[in-house]
Amino acid sequence: FEGVAVETPLPGLHQVTNTILALTVGHAFGVPLDAMSQALANYQPSQGRWSRQLLPGSQSSWALNDAYNANPSSMQAALQAFLAKPKEQAFRLLVVGAMNELGDYAQAYHQALGVWLAQHSQAFDALLLVGEDARWTLDSFKQACPVAHTPN
């Protein structure tokens, strides 16, 4: 930004856009660039906003939590950022919760998410869907990416 390298710990192309917008607004209000750069580099997201937590009993397994008040665009942006990270030897479990407060569009948005997840299913090992509205995500995921089910 204006010839100064600015780093943020937040992944994803959408966070680059957010960072540029934040810098632009700060600049318009006269905030010194070095102060903005330092604040962005040291930013720690709040719980549920791309927070990274070491799983209990593990020294190398992490949970990435970006579940706070998800909506269709934030869900896709978070998933893209997560799936863009190199898949290492670790088992990759994707836990996706239902998106709330979507009104009449809830079913359509959850179905679209299921199709998107099916198209990107090679990037994760298992999928756990949580929440009542996630049934629509599961239905469209199964149609686009067949899964097996057994009661035992």
Side-chain angles (χ1 to χ4, degrees):
F1 188 83
E2 292 196 354
V4 176
V6 176
E7 295 182 30
T8 177
L10 298 173
L13 185 57
H14 67 292
Q15 296 297 359
V16 172
T17 303
N18 291 341
T19 299
I20 291 170
L21 290 171
L23 289 167
T24 301
V25 170
H27 181 70
F29 282 96
V31 179
L33 185 55
D34 60 333
M36 290 188 292
S37 178
Q38 184 176 8
L40 287 166
N42 294 321
Y43 175 74
Q44 293 295 316
S46 60
Q47 187 67 17
R49 298 252 188 219
W50 200 266
S51 55
R52 184 176 178 208
Q53 302 149 331
L54 187 63
L55 295 177
S58 173
Q59 295 184 4
S60 61
S61 294
W62 295 86
L64 297 174
N65 181 358
D66 193 47
Y68 181 79
N69 200 21
N71 61 64
S73 61
S74 71
M75 178 76 77
Q76 188 171 354
L79 290 169
Q80 285 174 330
F82 173 73
L83 297 178
K85 291 188 167 291
K87 185 177 179 189
E88 298 170 1
Q89 299 296 332
F91 182 80
R92 209 169 208 188
L93 169 64
L94 190 57
V95 181
V96 177
M99 299 173 283
N100 297 324
E101 302 173 3
L102 296 177
D104 294 339
Y105 300 100
Q107 183 173 356
Y109 283 135
H110 283 90
Q111 288 172 332
L113 176 60
V115 171
W116 190 91
L117 287 166
Q119 292 169 345
H120 296 84
S121 63
Q122 74 284 354
F124 53 90
D125 299 299
L127 173 64
L128 174 61
L129 298 167
V130 180
E132 183 66 28
D133 288 352
R135 69 186 182 279
W136 296 314
T137 305
L138 176 61
D139 290 343
S140 62
F141 181 83
K142 288 192 300 188
Q143 288 177 7
C145 181
V147 295
H149 173 261
T150 179
N152 298 325

